[in-house]
Structure formats: C-alpha cells, structure tokens
Amino acid sequence: VNDLKSLNAEVKKRMDAAIDHVRRELAGLRSGRASVALLDPVQVEAYGTMMPLNQVASLSIPEPTVIVAQPFDPQLTSAIERAIQKSNLGLNPTSDGKVIRVPIPMLTDERRKELSKLVHKYAEEGRNAVRQVRRDANDRLKKLLKDHKISEDDERRALEDVQRVTDQHVGFIDDQQKKKDAELL
C-alpha cells in the first residue's frame, strides 16, 4: 500500500513538472501582447556575473504592447538594454537613462503560423512526457503485481488511477495549447 501511495505521489509530481515545463515554454512565446514572462530567458551581465533580468530590474506593462524595465541600479541600464537586444526575441528596447521601454511589435501572419506550430510542438512534447510517466508507472505496477507485493485488484485500481491522472494532465495541456493558439491566431 505504501508502494502505491509513493507511486501515486511520484506520478503526480512528474506529470505536474511536465505541465510546468509546457507552461513555461508557452509563456515565452510572443503573442503580440506584452507579457513579462516573455523576458524570462533574458540574462543580464551585472556585477561580473549573469543574472536573470527580473533580478536586476522591476518589470511592468503600462500598456498592452509595451514592457517597461526599471533597473534597481541605474548603472545597469545599458547592460539591460544590450541583454534584451541580444536575446533573439526580436525586440528593440529604448532607454531614457532611467527606464527601458520595450515595444512589442505586432506579429505577421507568417510569424503567427510559425509560433502556432511551436505551440503544438511544445504541447505534444508535454503530452509525450506525461504518457512516459504513465508508462513508467504502469511498468512498476506490473512488477509489483509480479513480485506479489500488491493484489490484482490493487493493480487494476492503481492502473485506473494513473490513467485518470494522465487524462487530467493531458486535458490541461490541451487547454493550454488552445488558449495560446487563440491568443496567436
């Protein structure tokens, strides 16, 4: 019974991790609307080390198509500006010495379609990760049954539980995919 409880906990934890990963990947995709998550991958050289942008500046969205970065230390302004330019996000920051404004350009139809393909790819990778967790769990349940550590009824119930959790997680990923697609297209 303890084996089953720890297995269920591990399955849930690993599937949640897959969902978090998909969520982060999708948050990083530009949809034409400003989102501070867009700048999550940006690393700024500060005090001789690389730091995430959100640790050297406060980020806000004063209007739907602009992100504003206010450096905690004004001396980092040009380093932050450089980091955003080099980030391969296709963004062009401007600075007035105090704050950095990052306008989010509108997406072309072609770019929207490319991003939509990426959304589908990330979602499919997430679903595959969830299914892999299910596969591992099912293999372990079969082994527990074979080693006579659980009964056939326990195994059947546990397999149903794993499938239920899998369906929930895959459904959640599908919802995330639909939301992001709607945002893009």
PDB file of all heavy atoms in Angstrom, residues 66-89:
ATOM      1  N   VAL A  66       3.659  47.259 -24.586  1.00  0.00           N
ATOM      2  CA  VAL A  66       4.942  47.769 -24.076  1.00  0.00           C
ATOM      3  C   VAL A  66       5.283  47.118 -22.739  1.00  0.00           C
ATOM      4  O   VAL A  66       4.432  47.003 -21.859  1.00  0.00           O
ATOM      5  CB  VAL A  66       4.900  49.306 -23.886  1.00  0.00           C
ATOM      6  CG1 VAL A  66       6.199  49.807 -23.271  1.00  0.00           C
ATOM      7  CG2 VAL A  66       4.645  50.007 -25.205  1.00  0.00           C
ATOM      8  N   ILE A  67       6.540  46.699 -22.606  1.00  0.00           N
ATOM      9  CA  ILE A  67       7.052  46.246 -21.315  1.00  0.00           C
ATOM     10  C   ILE A  67       8.036  47.308 -20.852  1.00  0.00           C
ATOM     11  O   ILE A  67       8.856  47.779 -21.643  1.00  0.00           O
ATOM     12  CB  ILE A  67       7.788  44.890 -21.429  1.00  0.00           C
ATOM     13  CG1 ILE A  67       6.857  43.807 -21.974  1.00  0.00           C
ATOM     14  CG2 ILE A  67       8.350  44.473 -20.065  1.00  0.00           C
ATOM     15  CD1 ILE A  67       7.549  42.488 -22.258  1.00  0.00           C
ATOM     16  N   VAL A  68       7.957  47.686 -19.591  1.00  0.00           N
ATOM     17  CA  VAL A  68       8.896  48.660 -19.049  1.00  0.00           C
ATOM     18  C   VAL A  68       9.766  47.965 -18.005  1.00  0.00           C
ATOM     19  O   VAL A  68       9.258  47.284 -17.112  1.00  0.00           O
ATOM     20  CB  VAL A  68       8.166  49.867 -18.414  1.00  0.00           C
ATOM     21  CG1 VAL A  68       9.142  50.753 -17.657  1.00  0.00           C
ATOM     22  CG2 VAL A  68       7.453  50.664 -19.489  1.00  0.00           C
ATOM     23  N   ALA A  69      11.091  48.126 -18.169  1.00  0.00           N
ATOM     24  CA  ALA A  69      12.043  47.574 -17.200  1.00  0.00           C
ATOM     25  C   ALA A  69      12.658  48.750 -16.448  1.00  0.00           C
ATOM     26  O   ALA A  69      13.252  49.637 -17.052  1.00  0.00           O
ATOM     27  CB  ALA A  69      13.124  46.772 -17.906  1.00  0.00           C
ATOM     28  N   GLN A  70      12.497  48.755 -15.141  1.00  0.00           N
ATOM     29  CA  GLN A  70      13.083  49.806 -14.318  1.00  0.00           C
ATOM     30  C   GLN A  70      14.229  49.176 -13.516  1.00  0.00           C
ATOM     31  O   GLN A  70      13.996  48.427 -12.571  1.00  0.00           O
ATOM     32  CB  GLN A  70      12.041  50.391 -13.375  1.00  0.00           C
ATOM     33  CG  GLN A  70      12.624  51.466 -12.480  1.00  0.00           C
ATOM     34  CD  GLN A  70      11.686  52.652 -12.362  1.00  0.00           C
ATOM     35  OE1 GLN A  70      10.488  52.507 -12.493  1.00  0.00           O
ATOM     36  NE2 GLN A  70      12.261  53.813 -12.124  1.00  0.00           N
ATOM     37  N   PRO A  71      15.491  49.480 -13.898  1.00  0.00           N
ATOM     38  CA  PRO A  71      16.642  48.874 -13.216  1.00  0.00           C
ATOM     39  C   PRO A  71      16.676  49.262 -11.729  1.00  0.00           C
ATOM     40  O   PRO A  71      16.378  50.405 -11.390  1.00  0.00           O
ATOM     41  CB  PRO A  71      17.850  49.467 -13.942  1.00  0.00           C
ATOM     42  CG  PRO A  71      17.320  50.019 -15.225  1.00  0.00           C
ATOM     43  CD  PRO A  71      15.896  50.392 -14.977  1.00  0.00           C
ATOM     44  N   PHE A  72      17.022  48.308 -10.872  1.00  0.00           N
ATOM     45  CA  PHE A  72      17.190  48.608  -9.450  1.00  0.00           C
ATOM     46  C   PHE A  72      18.430  49.486  -9.277  1.00  0.00           C
ATOM     47  O   PHE A  72      18.490  50.310  -8.391  1.00  0.00           O
ATOM     48  CB  PHE A  72      17.323  47.323  -8.627  1.00  0.00           C
ATOM     49  CG  PHE A  72      16.103  46.425  -8.724  1.00  0.00           C
ATOM     50  CD1 PHE A  72      16.244  45.072  -8.967  1.00  0.00           C
ATOM     51  CD2 PHE A  72      14.823  46.936  -8.585  1.00  0.00           C
ATOM     52  CE1 PHE A  72      15.128  44.245  -9.058  1.00  0.00           C
ATOM     53  CE2 PHE A  72      13.702  46.118  -8.678  1.00  0.00           C
ATOM     54  CZ  PHE A  72      13.855  44.773  -8.917  1.00  0.00           C
ATOM     55  N   ASP A  73      19.429  49.258 -10.145  1.00  0.00           N
ATOM     56  CA  ASP A  73      20.657  50.050 -10.138  1.00  0.00           C
ATOM     57  C   ASP A  73      20.766  50.732 -11.501  1.00  0.00           C
ATOM     58  O   ASP A  73      20.983  50.071 -12.509  1.00  0.00           O
ATOM     59  CB  ASP A  73      21.865  49.120  -9.901  1.00  0.00           C
ATOM     60  CG  ASP A  73      23.194  49.853  -9.948  1.00  0.00           C
ATOM     61  OD1 ASP A  73      23.224  51.039 -10.347  1.00  0.00           O
ATOM     62  OD2 ASP A  73      24.218  49.230  -9.598  1.00  0.00           O
ATOM     63  N   PRO A  74      20.625  52.086 -11.531  1.00  0.00           N
ATOM     64  CA  PRO A  74      20.627  52.808 -12.815  1.00  0.00           C
ATOM     65  C   PRO A  74      21.884  52.551 -13.658  1.00  0.00           C
ATOM     66  O   PRO A  74      21.840  52.683 -14.885  1.00  0.00           O
ATOM     67  CB  PRO A  74      20.557  54.282 -12.400  1.00  0.00           C
ATOM     68  CG  PRO A  74      19.988  54.273 -11.020  1.00  0.00           C
ATOM     69  CD  PRO A  74      20.411  52.973 -10.400  1.00  0.00           C
ATOM     70  N   GLN A  75      22.990  52.144 -13.025  1.00  0.00           N
ATOM     71  CA  GLN A  75      24.213  51.881 -13.787  1.00  0.00           C
ATOM     72  C   GLN A  75      24.070  50.661 -14.702  1.00  0.00           C
ATOM     73  O   GLN A  75      24.869  50.470 -15.609  1.00  0.00           O
ATOM     74  CB  GLN A  75      25.399  51.681 -12.841  1.00  0.00           C
ATOM     75  CG  GLN A  75      25.765  52.950 -12.085  1.00  0.00           C
ATOM     76  CD  GLN A  75      26.884  52.727 -11.083  1.00  0.00           C
ATOM     77  OE1 GLN A  75      27.166  51.589 -10.706  1.00  0.00           O
ATOM     78  NE2 GLN A  75      27.528  53.806 -10.667  1.00  0.00           N
ATOM     79  N   LEU A  76      23.053  49.830 -14.444  1.00  0.00           N
ATOM     80  CA  LEU A  76      22.866  48.622 -15.256  1.00  0.00           C
ATOM     81  C   LEU A  76      22.003  48.873 -16.488  1.00  0.00           C
ATOM     82  O   LEU A  76      21.789  47.961 -17.295  1.00  0.00           O
ATOM     83  CB  LEU A  76      22.228  47.517 -14.417  1.00  0.00           C
ATOM     84  CG  LEU A  76      23.076  46.948 -13.279  1.00  0.00           C
ATOM     85  CD1 LEU A  76      22.287  45.942 -12.477  1.00  0.00           C
ATOM     86  CD2 LEU A  76      24.344  46.327 -13.831  1.00  0.00           C
ATOM     87  N   THR A  77      21.511  50.093 -16.655  1.00  0.00           N
ATOM     88  CA  THR A  77      20.583  50.393 -17.751  1.00  0.00           C
ATOM     89  C   THR A  77      21.102  49.922 -19.106  1.00  0.00           C
ATOM     90  O   THR A  77      20.405  49.204 -19.833  1.00  0.00           O
ATOM     91  CB  THR A  77      20.265  51.901 -17.796  1.00  0.00           C
ATOM     92  OG1 THR A  77      19.763  52.286 -16.508  1.00  0.00           O
ATOM     93  CG2 THR A  77      19.207  52.207 -18.836  1.00  0.00           C
ATOM     94  N   SER A  78      22.332  50.291 -19.462  1.00  0.00           N
ATOM     95  CA  SER A  78      22.819  49.920 -20.801  1.00  0.00           C
ATOM     96  C   SER A  78      23.063  48.415 -20.901  1.00  0.00           C
ATOM     97  O   SER A  78      22.846  47.815 -21.959  1.00  0.00           O
ATOM     98  CB  SER A  78      24.086  50.709 -21.167  1.00  0.00           C
ATOM     99  OG  SER A  78      25.109  50.440 -20.245  1.00  0.00           O
ATOM    100  N   ALA A  79      23.481  47.768 -19.811  1.00  0.00           N
ATOM    101  CA  ALA A  79      23.686  46.308 -19.833  1.00  0.00           C
ATOM    102  C   ALA A  79      22.344  45.599 -20.056  1.00  0.00           C
ATOM    103  O   ALA A  79      22.269  44.614 -20.802  1.00  0.00           O
ATOM    104  CB  ALA A  79      24.320  45.841 -18.523  1.00  0.00           C
ATOM    105  N   ILE A  80      21.291  46.109 -19.425  1.00  0.00           N
ATOM    106  CA  ILE A  80      19.960  45.515 -19.582  1.00  0.00           C
ATOM    107  C   ILE A  80      19.487  45.685 -21.028  1.00  0.00           C
ATOM    108  O   ILE A  80      18.996  44.742 -21.652  1.00  0.00           O
ATOM    109  CB  ILE A  80      18.948  46.151 -18.597  1.00  0.00           C
ATOM    110  CG1 ILE A  80      19.298  45.738 -17.160  1.00  0.00           C
ATOM    111  CG2 ILE A  80      17.523  45.763 -18.945  1.00  0.00           C
ATOM    112  CD1 ILE A  80      18.512  46.460 -16.088  1.00  0.00           C
ATOM    113  N   GLU A  81      19.698  46.899 -21.545  1.00  0.00           N
ATOM    114  CA  GLU A  81      19.294  47.183 -22.923  1.00  0.00           C
ATOM    115  C   GLU A  81      20.007  46.226 -23.901  1.00  0.00           C
ATOM    116  O   GLU A  81      19.387  45.615 -24.768  1.00  0.00           O
ATOM    117  CB  GLU A  81      19.650  48.636 -23.258  1.00  0.00           C
ATOM    118  CG  GLU A  81      18.727  49.265 -24.258  1.00  0.00           C
ATOM    119  CD  GLU A  81      19.037  50.748 -24.464  1.00  0.00           C
ATOM    120  OE1 GLU A  81      19.633  51.386 -23.585  1.00  0.00           O
ATOM    121  OE2 GLU A  81      18.682  51.233 -25.552  1.00  0.00           O
ATOM    122  N   ARG A  82      21.316  46.063 -23.706  1.00  0.00           N
ATOM    123  CA  ARG A  82      22.107  45.153 -24.556  1.00  0.00           C
ATOM    124  C   ARG A  82      21.595  43.721 -24.451  1.00  0.00           C
ATOM    125  O   ARG A  82      21.452  43.018 -25.454  1.00  0.00           O
ATOM    126  CB  ARG A  82      23.587  45.200 -24.142  1.00  0.00           C
ATOM    127  CG  ARG A  82      24.435  46.129 -24.979  1.00  0.00           C
ATOM    128  CD  ARG A  82      25.925  45.888 -24.772  1.00  0.00           C
ATOM    129  NE  ARG A  82      26.334  45.700 -23.391  1.00  0.00           N
ATOM    130  CZ  ARG A  82      26.592  46.697 -22.530  1.00  0.00           C
ATOM    131  NH1 ARG A  82      26.477  47.951 -22.906  1.00  0.00           N
ATOM    132  NH2 ARG A  82      26.970  46.432 -21.295  1.00  0.00           N
ATOM    133  N   ALA A  83      21.325  43.285 -23.220  1.00  0.00           N
ATOM    134  CA  ALA A  83      20.878  41.906 -22.997  1.00  0.00           C
ATOM    135  C   ALA A  83      19.557  41.633 -23.729  1.00  0.00           C
ATOM    136  O   ALA A  83      19.381  40.572 -24.331  1.00  0.00           O
ATOM    137  CB  ALA A  83      20.721  41.628 -21.505  1.00  0.00           C
ATOM    138  N   ILE A  84      18.647  42.604 -23.697  1.00  0.00           N
ATOM    139  CA  ILE A  84      17.356  42.420 -24.379  1.00  0.00           C
ATOM    140  C   ILE A  84      17.571  42.369 -25.892  1.00  0.00           C
ATOM    141  O   ILE A  84      16.980  41.542 -26.585  1.00  0.00           O
ATOM    142  CB  ILE A  84      16.358  43.538 -23.992  1.00  0.00           C
ATOM    143  CG1 ILE A  84      16.002  43.424 -22.503  1.00  0.00           C
ATOM    144  CG2 ILE A  84      15.085  43.444 -24.843  1.00  0.00           C
ATOM    145  CD1 ILE A  84      15.206  44.596 -21.956  1.00  0.00           C
ATOM    146  N   GLN A  85      18.468  43.229 -26.410  1.00  0.00           N
ATOM    147  CA  GLN A  85      18.738  43.226 -27.852  1.00  0.00           C
ATOM    148  C   GLN A  85      19.343  41.898 -28.298  1.00  0.00           C
ATOM    149  O   GLN A  85      19.013  41.371 -29.355  1.00  0.00           O
ATOM    150  CB  GLN A  85      19.688  44.371 -28.222  1.00  0.00           C
ATOM    151  CG  GLN A  85      18.983  45.707 -28.316  1.00  0.00           C
ATOM    152  CD  GLN A  85      19.954  46.878 -28.351  1.00  0.00           C
ATOM    153  OE1 GLN A  85      21.115  46.759 -27.975  1.00  0.00           O
ATOM    154  NE2 GLN A  85      19.456  48.015 -28.800  1.00  0.00           N
ATOM    155  N   LYS A  86      20.247  41.342 -27.474  1.00  0.00           N
ATOM    156  CA  LYS A  86      20.941  40.101 -27.841  1.00  0.00           C
ATOM    157  C   LYS A  86      20.103  38.847 -27.604  1.00  0.00           C
ATOM    158  O   LYS A  86      20.551  37.750 -27.903  1.00  0.00           O
ATOM    159  CB  LYS A  86      22.233  39.968 -27.011  1.00  0.00           C
ATOM    160  CG  LYS A  86      23.344  40.892 -27.443  1.00  0.00           C
ATOM    161  CD  LYS A  86      24.592  40.565 -26.644  1.00  0.00           C
ATOM    162  CE  LYS A  86      25.658  41.621 -26.782  1.00  0.00           C
ATOM    163  NZ  LYS A  86      26.611  41.571 -25.670  1.00  0.00           N
ATOM    164  N   SER A  87      18.907  39.001 -27.042  1.00  0.00           N
ATOM    165  CA  SER A  87      18.128  37.839 -26.586  1.00  0.00           C
ATOM    166  C   SER A  87      17.456  37.039 -27.697  1.00  0.00           C
ATOM    167  O   SER A  87      16.789  36.057 -27.417  1.00  0.00           O
ATOM    168  CB  SER A  87      17.055  38.300 -25.599  1.00  0.00           C
ATOM    169  OG  SER A  87      16.096  39.084 -26.297  1.00  0.00           O
ATOM    170  N   ASN A  88      17.601  37.456 -28.952  1.00  0.00           N
ATOM    171  CA  ASN A  88      16.950  36.755 -30.075  1.00  0.00           C
ATOM    172  C   ASN A  88      15.434  36.733 -29.981  1.00  0.00           C
ATOM    173  O   ASN A  88      14.792  35.846 -30.526  1.00  0.00           O
ATOM    174  CB  ASN A  88      17.459  35.304 -30.193  1.00  0.00           C
ATOM    175  CG  ASN A  88      18.855  35.260 -30.773  1.00  0.00           C
ATOM    176  OD1 ASN A  88      19.257  36.173 -31.482  1.00  0.00           O
ATOM    177  ND2 ASN A  88      19.578  34.216 -30.473  1.00  0.00           N
ATOM    178  N   LEU A  89      14.863  37.688 -29.264  1.00  0.00           N
ATOM    179  CA  LEU A  89      13.403  37.756 -29.170  1.00  0.00           C
ATOM    180  C   LEU A  89      12.853  38.735 -30.210  1.00  0.00           C
ATOM    181  O   LEU A  89      11.652  38.936 -30.310  1.00  0.00           O
ATOM    182  CB  LEU A  89      12.970  38.204 -27.763  1.00  0.00           C
ATOM    183  CG  LEU A  89      13.248  37.207 -26.637  1.00  0.00           C
ATOM    184  CD1 LEU A  89      13.024  37.845 -25.274  1.00  0.00           C
ATOM    185  CD2 LEU A  89      12.377  35.972 -26.789  1.00  0.00           C
TER     186      LEU A  89
END
